C-alpha cells in the first residue's frame, strides 16, 4: 500500500504515487475576461447613445469641433447691427420738373399734381424736349446730376416703378421726370411709401455667431 493511502482504505480507493492530487477547482480566468469586455462594450454604447440624445435636444447639428482643442463650438444666428445708410432727402427737399414725352396730352400736369400731394416740390411742367420727345418707350426716365444718383433720384424712383435713371451734366439739384409711352400712372402711394421706408430704414441681416 502506498504511503499516500489513508489507513483503512484500499482497493479501488487506493491512491498511488508520490504526491497528493490537486483538489482546487478549475480556473475561470477566460470567463472573467469575457465578462469585463462585454461590460465595457455596453457602457460605451450607453455613453454614445446619451451623447446622441444630447445633440438632438440641444441642436447638435450646428456644432463643429475646434481644431486641436477637442471642444465643441455651436453656431447660432445673431442679428447684425443695421448697416449705416447715407441719409436720403425728404420729398419736400426735392424739386421735380415733369415732362410729357408721349402723344397723350395732360399727363405732365396730372402727374405733377399727384407728386405735389405726396410732398415733392414741383418745378417746370410741360412737353419733353426734342432729345426725348416720343423716344421714351418705358414708363419714364429720371434725370439728375451724378451726385443725385444715390440720393434724391432714389427717392423719386420710389414713385414710378420701372423708370430708368440717368445722370446728365447738370449742376443743380433739381430732377427731371420724363413720362414715357408705357406710363399708366405713378406707383400706388402706400406701395411707394413702403419702398421709401425700406430705403431709409434697412432691416438688419442675420450673421452666424459661434459660441464655444
Amino acid at each position: 500500500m502506498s504511503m499516500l493511502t489513508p489507513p483503512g482504505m484500499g482497493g479501488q480507493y487506493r491512491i498511488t504515487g508520490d504526491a497528493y492530487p490537486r483538489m482546487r477547482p478549475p480556473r475561470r480566468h477566460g470567463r472573467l475576461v469575457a465578462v469585463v469586455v462585454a461590460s465595457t462594450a455596453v457602457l460605451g454604447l450607453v455613453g454614445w447613445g446619451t451623447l446622441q440624445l444630447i445633440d438632438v435636444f440641444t441642436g447638435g447639428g450646428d456644432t463643429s469641433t475646434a481644431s486641436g482643442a477637442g471642444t465643441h463650438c455651436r453656431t447660432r444666428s445673431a442679428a447684425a447691427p443695421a448697416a449705416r445708410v447715407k441719409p436720403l432727402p425728404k420729398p419736400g427737399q426735392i424739386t421735380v420738373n415733369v415732362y410729357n414725352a408721349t402723344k397723350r396730352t395732360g399727363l405732365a400736369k396730372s402727374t405733377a399734381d399727384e407728386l405735389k400731394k405726396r410732398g415733392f416740390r414741383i418745378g417746370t411742367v410741360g412737353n419733353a424736349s426734342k432729345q426725348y420727345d416720343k423716344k421714351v418707350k418705358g414708363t419714364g426716365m429720371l434725370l439728375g446730376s451724378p451726385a443725385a444718383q444715390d440720393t434724391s433720384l432714389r427717392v423719386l424712383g420710389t414713385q414710378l416703378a420701372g423708370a430708368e435713371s440717368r445722370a446728365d451734366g447738370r449742376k443743380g439739384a433739381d430732377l427731371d421726370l420724363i413720362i414715357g409711352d408705357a406710363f399708366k400712372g405713378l406707383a400706388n402711394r402706400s406701395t411707394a411709401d413702403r419702398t421709401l421706408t425700406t430705403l431709409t430704414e434697412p432691416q438688419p441681416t442675420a450673421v452666424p455667431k459661434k459660441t464655444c
Side-chain angles (χ1 to χ4, degrees), residues 32 124-125 167 182-183:
L32 179 61
T124 304
V125 178
F183 179 82

mmCIF file of all heavy atoms in Angstrom, residues 32 124-125 167 182-183:
data_model
loop_
_atom_site.group_PDB
_atom_site.id
_atom_site.type_symbol
_atom_site.label_atom_id
_atom_site.label_comp_id
_atom_site.label_asym_id
_atom_site.label_seq_id
_atom_site.Cartn_x
_atom_site.Cartn_y
_atom_site.Cartn_z
ATOM 1 N N LEU A 32 -13.966 35.391 -16.823
ATOM 2 C CA LEU A 32 -13.894 36.718 -16.188
ATOM 3 C C LEU A 32 -13.513 37.788 -17.202
ATOM 4 O O LEU A 32 -14.094 38.875 -17.243
ATOM 5 C CB LEU A 32 -12.879 36.676 -15.050
ATOM 6 C CG LEU A 32 -12.680 38.008 -14.291
ATOM 7 C CD1 LEU A 32 -13.992 38.447 -13.660
ATOM 8 C CD2 LEU A 32 -11.598 37.835 -13.211
ATOM 9 N N THR A 124 -40.737 122.945 -63.330
ATOM 10 C CA THR A 124 -41.313 123.152 -64.667
ATOM 11 C C THR A 124 -42.197 121.980 -65.066
ATOM 12 O O THR A 124 -41.856 120.818 -64.827
ATOM 13 C CB THR A 124 -40.188 123.332 -65.694
ATOM 14 O OG1 THR A 124 -39.344 124.407 -65.286
ATOM 15 C CG2 THR A 124 -40.763 123.621 -67.071
ATOM 16 N N VAL A 125 -43.336 122.272 -65.698
ATOM 17 C CA VAL A 125 -44.255 121.243 -66.176
ATOM 18 C C VAL A 125 -44.541 121.522 -67.651
ATOM 19 O O VAL A 125 -44.901 122.650 -68.019
ATOM 20 C CB VAL A 125 -45.572 121.237 -65.371
ATOM 21 C CG1 VAL A 125 -46.539 120.184 -65.922
ATOM 22 C CG2 VAL A 125 -45.294 120.980 -63.888
ATOM 23 N N ALA A 167 -27.770 109.953 -65.236
ATOM 24 C CA ALA A 167 -27.094 111.172 -64.788
ATOM 25 C C ALA A 167 -26.743 112.007 -66.013
ATOM 26 O O ALA A 167 -26.333 111.475 -67.048
ATOM 27 C CB ALA A 167 -25.830 110.818 -64.010
ATOM 28 N N ALA A 182 -45.068 103.767 -71.968
ATOM 29 C CA ALA A 182 -45.658 102.713 -71.145
ATOM 30 C C ALA A 182 -46.219 103.241 -69.824
ATOM 31 O O ALA A 182 -46.676 102.450 -68.989
ATOM 32 C CB ALA A 182 -44.617 101.631 -70.870
ATOM 33 N N PHE A 183 -46.233 104.532 -69.647
ATOM 34 C CA PHE A 183 -46.711 105.135 -68.397
ATOM 35 C C PHE A 183 -48.211 104.902 -68.219
ATOM 36 O O PHE A 183 -49.004 105.184 -69.116
ATOM 37 C CB PHE A 183 -46.406 106.632 -68.398
ATOM 38 C CG PHE A 183 -46.867 107.354 -67.166
ATOM 39 C CD1 PHE A 183 -46.105 107.341 -66.012
ATOM 40 C CD2 PHE A 183 -48.073 108.059 -67.166
ATOM 41 C CE1 PHE A 183 -46.525 108.020 -64.883
ATOM 42 C CE2 PHE A 183 -48.494 108.744 -66.041
ATOM 43 C CZ PHE A 183 -47.717 108.724 -64.893
#
